[in-house]
Amino acid sequence: MAGFRSLARQVRDPHCDLALRRYSLRKCLEKFAPYGHRATWDHLCSRAGFGPEDRSPDPARLVAALEELEEARDVWLAYETDFTERRRKEKHDGLRRPGSVDDWHRLTWGGFGVAWCDDPRVHPEEPLAEVLRRLIAALEREPGSSCPVCGGERLVWKHGLDHEPSSGPVCTDCGILVPRPVLSARALEYARRERLLMSA
């Protein structure tokens, strides 16, 4: 199976059939899709200016979508490298028990679903790389009370998400499943309470 880089080369290759170039971009999302496959595809299409069902998009728009995806992937891979180094140092220093960020990180290794959007049409509008920078910054500071991506304060606990974990606090503004480690215990409690109020 082709890796991300070889798929990216096919997207850029003007000698490849346009259908193959589009297909290769879709296949890149099997390797790296921060919002999940469908929501990331919807995001890239809207930002690059072609429709999700467009079978013959402008090749320059396909490359623009790829470039946004590659920049975000570089941001995430740098974070994973730093994360690995930190855990190695912690283990060397005798800290064997991982924390809540480590538990969350294990579920998102490789960057799939790090800012999961269960509804593929509801996702942040900012460039993917900027969204990931905000998320990473939140993972590296004390837990807060709002969405680390858009700053929204209306978080609702949802069940039955097509993701692991299958429940958690979802931002009603930008649609991401907010990683639990970035939220304070009080914010998580409010999100659960909001769900109960909505279902009442």
Side-chain angles (χ1 to χ4, degrees):
M1 180 181 252
F4 186 94
R5 287 185 183 147
S6 62
L7 290 166
R9 278 194 296 274
Q10 287 179 344
V11 176
R12 285 194 170 87
D13 188 347
H15 302 296
C16 283
D17 176 72
L18 185 55
L20 175 62
R21 294 174 73 179
R22 180 186 180 277
Y23 174 78
S24 297
L25 180 59
R26 289 293 301 252
K27 292 294 280 182
C28 283
L29 301 184
E30 292 179 8
K31 311 295 180 188
F32 180 73
Y35 302 153
H37 190 283
R38 290 171 48 216
T40 305
W41 178 249
D42 190 81
H43 169 87
L44 292 173
C45 292
S46 64
R47 296 238 340 133
F50 62 93
E53 300 303 322
D54 187 348
R55 297 291 176 207
S56 54
D58 179 344
R61 293 180 188 273
L62 282 177
V63 172
L66 174 66
E67 287 172 350
E68 179 173 346
L69 188 64
E70 286 176 321
E71 182 185 1
R73 183 171 178 264
D74 288 344
V75 168
W76 187 253
L77 290 177
Y79 168 72
E80 285 192 336
T81 299
D82 292 345
F83 176 87
T84 302
E85 285 303 311
R86 177 181 61 81
R87 283 300 296 142
R88 185 176 292 127
K89 184 178 181 321
E90 286 173 350
K91 286 178 182 177
H92 180 268
D93 294 342
L95 182 62
R96 296 284 177 185
R97 174 168 258 208
S100 62
V101 171
D102 305 295
D103 291 338
W104 171 82
H105 194 269
R106 249 185 293 114
L107 297 173
T108 60
W109 190 259
F112 186 83
V114 295
W116 179 261
C117 297
D118 214 51
D119 182 340
R121 294 165 312 238
V122 180
H123 44 73
E125 294 179 4
E126 296 81 8
L128 282 171
E130 178 58 27
V131 167
L132 293 182
R133 285 186 194 101
R134 291 177 188 179
L135 188 63
I136 290 165
L139 289 165
E140 294 173 345
R141 65 177 178 253
E142 290 298 310
S145 62
S146 61
C147 173
V149 170
C150 72
E153 303 220 344
R154 183 114 190 262
L155 307 176
V156 176
W157 199 273
K158 293 196 177 175
H159 291 281
L161 301 174
D162 191 19
H163 185 60
E164 183 58 43
S166 62
S167 66
V170 173
C171 176
T172 59
D173 292 324
C174 71
I176 74 159
L177 171 62
V178 179
R180 294 181 203 182
V182 307
L183 295 172
S184 67
R186 184 175 217 166
L188 291 169
E189 180 186 327
Y190 280 142
R192 285 187 180 98
R193 189 179 310 157
E194 193 67 30
R195 176 187 175 272
L196 294 173
L197 289 173
M198 288 179 71
S199 60

